[in-house]
Amino acid sequence: MALSKSHRVTMNDGNTIPVLGLGTYAPRSVPKSEGEMATKVAIEVGFRHIDGAFLYENEKEVGQAIRAKIADGTVTRKDIFYTGKLWNTYHRPELVRPALEETLKNLQLDYIDLYIIHCPMSFKPGKDMIPFDENQKVISDSVDLRDTWEAMEKCKDAGLVKSIGVSNFNRRQLEMILNKPGLKYKPVCNQVECHPYLNQSKLLEFCKSNDIILVAYSSLGTHREAPWVDQNSPIVLEDPVLGAIAKKHNRTPAQVAIRYQIQRGLVVLAKSFTEKRIKENFQVFDFQLTPEDMKAIDGLNKNLRYLIFKQFQDIPNYPFNDEY
């Protein structure tokens, strides 16, 4: 995966994606204005890839930040790469384009650069992001994701989005799309949890063999938000091996964790709402990890998934039961 001077790589549809992006998800306890501030700071320090989602409920604020940085001349629209996500309640083919149009309206943009199916699990359509029945069980919906994918392809053909991909898909689910009769566009990417404790080596190998880019979320571990994450799980950035490598290179453990993924050929999302850390997280293009460093970090893998969404385990297409 050859890096251009602008830190971009080419996807299977010919479009390019910056290898480092800002994640904009924030727990509900964080004010929406923080997302706007973080996006502005990120663009100022050099980030050109902004990863958002309808689910995050801050698209308006993130859009305001992007448009402010275009208005003040920091960037042009073409400089910015924005990722949006199709939420689980919009998998029915007739709902896909309206969902994307809602995202465009929130952002006040004419198109987005990448639109991905957020998760392979389909929920009952409606105003509730996560619909529950009277027994507090999530209400699923019966949708063939190959039909959802066709509707995504039509959005690309309509010029509403430049590239289309998926997220949280396992190998079996990717194969279902890749083997679909009449497939017009392959997914350009699969965005999944990936960090030194869950290095996704098998899924990475499969994606590379199919010219699909693996995009890493929770690349620095996770925000440890209850109830989604086990509060007793170990913290990646406190790992002594990462710490020792960081000390050797005079870097932070976060910078080492990001650099590790870039050198493996992944696109990496890093999330922070702190100006100092946002700046640090972008300073990963002026040093190189040695083969010994890479091997040592490979050795940290525990197949530890922070985000397992236990509440969804009974939903069809739950993606985390398969080995990869």
Side-chain angles (χ1 to χ4, degrees), residues 6-228:
S6 59
H7 313 308
R8 285 177 174 250
V9 290
T10 303
M11 300 182 287
N12 64 39
D13 64 355
N15 294 323
T16 62
I17 182 171
V19 295
L20 181 57
L22 176 79
T24 61
Y25 174 78
R28 288 186 182 274
S29 56
V30 176
K32 302 291 180 209
S33 58
E34 292 284 304
E36 185 175 351
M37 177 281 298
T39 304
K40 282 180 180 175
V41 169
I43 292 171
E44 284 162 9
V45 304
F47 280 87
R48 296 295 176 259
H49 177 176
I50 310 296
D51 181 82
F54 182 74
L55 176 69
Y56 303 166
E57 298 183 320
N58 61 1
E59 287 180 322
K60 288 179 181 174
E61 289 78 12
V62 171
Q64 281 168 1
I66 292 170
R67 285 181 289 109
K69 290 288 104 189
I70 292 171
D72 72 9
T74 305
V75 287
T76 66
R77 173 64 187 92
K78 283 185 178 176
D79 294 329
I80 294 293
F81 186 100
Y82 183 87
T83 300
K85 303 186 186 79
L86 178 77
W87 181 237
N88 305 8
T89 52
Y90 294 91
H91 283 180
R92 293 182 187 181
E94 67 273 17
L95 299 179
V96 173
R97 180 165 175 161
L100 174 52
E101 288 172 340
E102 182 72 14
T103 281
L104 292 172
K105 184 181 167 189
N106 288 338
L107 294 164
Q108 294 288 292
L109 296 175
D110 296 329
Y111 70 91
I112 56 173
D113 302 272
L114 175 62
Y115 199 45
I116 60 181
I117 299 175
H118 201 147
C119 198
M121 297 175 286
S122 304
F123 296 168
K124 177 190 171 187
K127 64 181 189 322
D128 296 329
M129 293 273 202
I130 305 177
F132 291 99
D133 64 17
E134 63 276 10
N135 300 313
Q136 289 306 294
K137 290 270 190 184
V138 179
I139 307 170
S140 64
D141 194 25
S142 180
V143 182
D144 187 330
L145 289 171
R146 289 169 294 192
D147 295 336
T148 309
W149 187 253
E150 271 188 32
M152 297 279 284
E153 290 176 327
K154 287 174 182 171
C155 289
K156 176 176 163 72
D157 284 338
L160 300 177
V161 59
K162 303 282 189 186
S163 301
I164 51 175
V166 298
S167 178
N168 294 307
F169 274 46
N170 57 35
R171 175 180 175 155
R172 179 178 52 82
Q173 290 159 341
L174 282 171
E175 285 177 333
M176 179 181 69
I177 301 293
L178 292 172
N179 297 330
K180 174 190 167 306
L183 181 72
K184 191 167 186 181
Y185 305 117
K186 281 168 58 168
V188 295
C189 70
N190 184 22
Q191 186 183 126
V192 297
E193 179 181 342
C194 189
H195 44 75
Y197 286 170
L198 179 71
N199 69 22
Q200 299 275 19
S201 57
K202 288 184 177 178
L203 187 59
L204 175 61
E205 193 179 318
F206 175 78
C207 285
K208 280 184 175 179
S209 71
N210 285 281
D211 199 15
I212 294 170
I213 288 173
L214 204 63
V215 180
Y217 71 72
S218 295
S219 62
L220 306 178
T222 180
H223 45 75
R224 309 184 74 78
E225 184 185 4
W228 307 108

Side-chain angles (χ1 to χ4, degrees), residues 282-296:
F282 195 75
Q283 291 163 357
V284 292
F285 297 107
D286 57 350
F287 78 104
Q288 190 93 2
L289 296 173
T290 66
E292 293 74 27
D293 294 335
M294 294 295 289
K295 192 173 179 183

